[in-house]
Amino acid sequence: EVRARVVEAIGHELGLRGGPELAEALASRWRERLEALTAGDPELAGYGSWFGANLLAPKTGAELLAQTLRRSGGAVSNVRAVLEAMAAAIASAPLVVIEALRLIADGPVAGQLGWHDRLVRDVIAALAAADEPTVGDALQQLIDALAERGLGDFRPGADV
């Protein structure tokens, strides 16, 4: 738990003070920790703040986030920052963003998606507008999964 809080705190500081010169070292360290940690390790959740700092190349960040979510069982810290940073990754990795959002919806912090439903709607709208032919079915499955879990009606045109 202490490691998880330290990792999360580092992510918050990166968001406040980090710059692009840190991106490669950050990605490298994140990959090293992913390899070293066992599935379900509480430290994994803290890397949501690293993604939320928005310092990595969008595709790299989204891929690391999805790998982390797979290992953490969907546990992630700083859901708000994660959702905000997802928008930057949609152009380069829309299917990875869908997977990451689905993993969060299936995980222990799923209820936080309801707290940030406006951000979820923004991510879904951006995904729907993405010029990627394979997004449609995956996005519909995500929208259906969110509804099945009682997290909201995110169909295009649904009332907020």
Side-chain angles (χ1 to χ4, degrees):
E1 295 252 351
V2 172
R3 284 181 292 120
R5 288 194 297 264
V6 169
V7 168
E8 185 174 357
I10 290 169
H12 287 296
E13 284 299 312
L14 288 167
L16 295 172
R17 303 181 209 309
E21 68 279 0
L22 299 174
E24 190 52 44
L26 181 66
S28 178
R29 182 65 179 155
W30 191 346
R31 284 185 192 100
E32 287 172 11
R33 293 306 297 153
L34 274 174
E35 289 177 19
L37 297 170
T38 59
D41 189 303
E43 181 183 327
L44 291 162
Y47 290 97
S49 291
W50 289 33
F51 177 74
N54 227 356
L55 295 177
L56 300 177
K59 184 175 182 180
T60 299
E63 289 171 346
L64 282 167
L65 176 68
Q67 290 172 21
T68 303
L69 289 165
R70 279 185 232 115
R71 302 278 316 273
S72 73
V76 67
S77 65
N78 206 351
V79 172
R80 179 184 183 89
V82 167
L83 291 168
E84 289 170 343
M86 280 181 172
I90 290 171
S92 60
L95 293 174
V96 177
V97 170
I98 290 171
E99 178 190 7
L101 194 50
R102 177 70 184 260
L103 288 163
I104 294 170
D106 290 343
V109 296
Q112 291 184 36
L113 295 175
W115 301 347
H116 305 296
D117 70 331
R118 172 56 31 213
L119 292 172
V120 175
R121 286 182 195 289
D122 291 347
V123 169
I124 288 173
L127 285 163
D131 188 22
E132 174 70 43
T134 59
V135 166
D137 289 341
L139 182 57
Q140 187 57 55
Q141 291 172 4
L142 171 64
I143 291 168
D144 292 345
L146 292 168
E148 288 169 10
R149 286 160 185 72
L151 297 171
D153 183 357
F154 293 100
R155 292 172 297 161
D159 291 338
V160 177

